[in-house]
């Protein structure tokens, strides 16, 4: 794993998109990007296991708004009101298809937030599993990603 420290602007330039969300499925059709935070007081319960080679990433909440003033009390969404999948739904479908042997694992570049505007590039991970579990108030998505060596060629 590389662990390059970069700015948010450098990260966006590298990915070729403005990364505003923590979950970004299927960028340029050949990989996804996750922005993780394992810092204390992070709004999501992301965690590293196996000496940093496995990331358990928590899915994303409903957007805060009039309809959901406290998203931490609502089940994390798999689908939008239109019926299209959310980023949770896209990552979940890819992980389940991998587990059924219907596709290769989704390749995911993982960036870890160090502090505001400063990120660490943690390398490429494969999305190998997903599930829904309950916390004290709701159902949340969990995604298991395993670090891989030499899978940087996305061309």
């Amino acid at each position: 794993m590389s662990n390059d420290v970069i700015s948010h602007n450098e990260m966006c330039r590298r990915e070729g998109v403005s990364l505003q969300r923590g979950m970004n499925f299927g960028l340029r059709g050949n990989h996804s990007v996750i922005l993780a935070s394992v810092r204390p007081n992070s709004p999501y319960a992301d965690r590293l296991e196996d000496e940093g080679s496995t990331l358990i990433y928590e899915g994303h909440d409903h957007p805060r708004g009039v309809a959901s003033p406290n998203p931490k009390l609502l089940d994390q969404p798999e689908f939008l009101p239109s019926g299209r999948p959310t980023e949770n739904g896209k990552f979940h479908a890819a992980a389940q298809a991998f587990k059924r042997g219907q596709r290769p694992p989704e390749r995911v570049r993982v960036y870890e937030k160090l502090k505001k505007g400063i990120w660490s590039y943690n390398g490429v991970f494969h999305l190998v599993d997903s599930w829904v579990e309950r916390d004290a108030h709701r159902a949340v998505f969990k995604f298991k990603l395993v670090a891989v060596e030499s899978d940087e060629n996305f061309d």
Side-chain angles (χ1 to χ4, degrees):
M1 263 187 304
S2 126
N3 292 99
D4 298 329
V5 175
I6 61 175
S7 72
H8 186 262
N9 288 340
E10 290 171 303
M11 180 175 63
C12 292
R13 204 169 20 260
R14 177 177 193 200
E15 297 302 335
V17 296
S18 177
L19 295 167
Q20 300 300 316
R21 301 177 299 195
M23 301 174 76
N24 303 273
F25 188 83
L27 296 180
R28 295 184 286 188
N30 62 11
H31 74 286
S32 295
V33 171
I34 281 182
L35 308 180
S37 178
V38 296
R39 300 180 311 163
N41 301 320
S42 172
Y44 295 97
D46 303 340
R47 69 183 186 272
L48 292 169
E49 298 178 344
D50 304 323
E51 298 176 6
S53 66
T54 300
L55 170 64
I56 305 299
Y57 184 82
E58 185 173 287
H60 279 213
D61 300 336
H62 284 275
R64 185 179 306 276
V66 175
S68 55
N70 189 351
K72 295 292 184 193
L73 297 178
L74 301 173
D75 291 348
Q76 289 183 338
E78 184 172 0
F79 297 99
L80 298 166
S82 67
R84 293 178 48 212
T86 62
E87 294 301 293
N88 291 333
K90 293 173 190 175
F91 277 86
H92 184 59
Q96 295 305 305
F98 167 72
K99 284 177 56 177
R100 291 189 302 269
Q102 297 172 325
R103 63 160 289 165
E106 180 69 14
R107 296 184 302 170
V108 182
R109 283 186 177 155
V110 173
Y111 296 89
E112 181 182 345
K113 187 173 191 172
L114 300 177
K115 59 184 180 179
K116 185 176 170 100
I118 305 295
W119 298 84
S120 171
Y121 175 59
N122 288 356
V124 177
F125 286 64
H126 283 172
L127 175 63
V128 298
D129 199 1
S130 64
W131 62 92
V132 176
E133 65 183 47
R134 293 206 62 84
D135 69 11
H137 305 286
R138 67 206 179 119
V140 295
F141 282 90
K142 296 290 184 171
F143 300 96
K144 182 177 182 178
L145 300 106
V146 177
V148 294
E149 298 288 329
S150 68
D151 195 10
E152 287 289 332
N153 185 4
F154 291 138
D155 297 328

